[in-house]
Amino acid sequence: YEGPKDVYIQNMVSLEEEKIGMTAYSDDGKIRAFTSDDGGKTWDEKAIDLPKEEGKETIVNISTFLSNGNIFVSYYHMEPMKEEPATLEENSVEGESTEAGVSDEVFYKDDYFENIEYKYAVVDGDGKINDIEIDLSTYINEDDMNYGYSMMEQVKSTLDGDLLFSLGNKVVQLD
């Protein structure tokens, strides 16, 4: 079967017999939810409108349907990436242009990802976004932080609606 056009599939799950839930990015970078009641022959689409922050991009790193048909989303806000000139180092970005000329300041990509605050939400069938608090630091220790295990990786829903996610080499279950 053909999937929805002009999207990049992030996650797909079986919700019931013949019913499929899928999350995907559209060409404009926004997250979309799709459902199919006929095993993937046809798709219904819903936009997911996550909260915005002035002057920042909203980045979704995880989205998946839960067994009850709601959608779990992990996202964050960040400054827009600057264009990289081909002549600079691979991990650097040229300084801002000013009327007096180009600044000598060089920004590194890693600087963009410092102090990111991950946000978590469940989106219900009506599109209402319900923020949820998840403190990942309670599941990891300082050694885990050194290996970059500070964000969720795989997220799944159990049949009774609990949330399972991996965090490094740990599996965490939330009710």
Side-chain angles (χ1 to χ4, degrees):
Y1 303 118
E2 288 288 321
K5 302 280 187 219
D6 301 320
V7 297
Y8 306 96
I9 299 170
Q10 185 175 41
N11 204 320
M12 190 167 33
V13 298
S14 176
L15 297 171
E16 302 169 6
E17 187 175 327
E18 293 289 312
K19 185 168 185 171
I20 300 170
M22 176 174 50
T23 56
Y25 295 105
S26 59
D27 284 339
D28 61 5
K30 295 185 179 180
I31 195 79
R32 304 274 189 243
F34 295 90
T35 54
S36 174
D37 291 322
D38 56 13
K41 295 176 188 170
T42 60
W43 296 94
D44 295 317
E45 177 182 358
K46 270 190 190 174
I48 299 174
D49 295 319
L50 293 171
K52 311 278 186 258
E53 284 188 11
E54 182 78 29
K56 293 188 176 184
E57 295 179 15
T58 302
I59 309 296
V60 175
N61 59 319
I62 296 173
S63 64
T64 188
F65 270 85
L66 303 175
S67 60
N68 62 5
N70 291 338
I71 300 167
F72 173 81
V73 180
S74 170
Y75 65 100
Y76 57 93
H77 299 103
M78 68 179 278
E79 298 293 327
M81 292 288 265
K82 296 179 178 134
E83 293 286 328
E84 290 185 56
T87 59
L88 288 179
E89 297 175 33
E90 185 176 315
N91 66 341
S92 65
V93 177
E94 188 173 3
E96 295 286 329
S97 294
T98 66
E99 288 184 312
V102 176
S103 164
D104 290 334
E105 188 174 6
V106 174
F107 299 96
Y108 290 90
K109 285 181 182 178
D110 293 344
D111 295 340
Y112 284 103
F113 299 102
E114 286 184 14
N115 303 318
I116 287 179
E117 179 185 346
Y118 291 97
K119 300 175 185 284
Y120 308 98
V122 173
V123 183
D124 68 19
D126 296 326
K128 182 178 179 211
I129 297 170
N130 302 293
D131 291 324
I132 57 175
E133 294 292 324
I134 302 175
D135 181 5
L136 297 182
S137 68
T138 61
Y139 306 107
I140 54 179
N141 59 38
E142 190 172 314
D143 290 337
D144 292 334
M145 292 296 285
N146 292 333
Y147 290 108
Y149 294 152
S150 58
M151 71 176 205
M152 291 180 178
E153 293 162 5
Q154 296 293 318
V155 177
K156 302 294 176 196
S157 176
T158 63
L159 294 175
D160 63 357
D162 289 353
L163 189 67
L164 290 173
F165 64 89
S166 66
L167 191 64
N169 66 349
K170 296 176 176 66
V171 176
V172 179
Q173 181 171 349
L174 300 176
D175 296 331

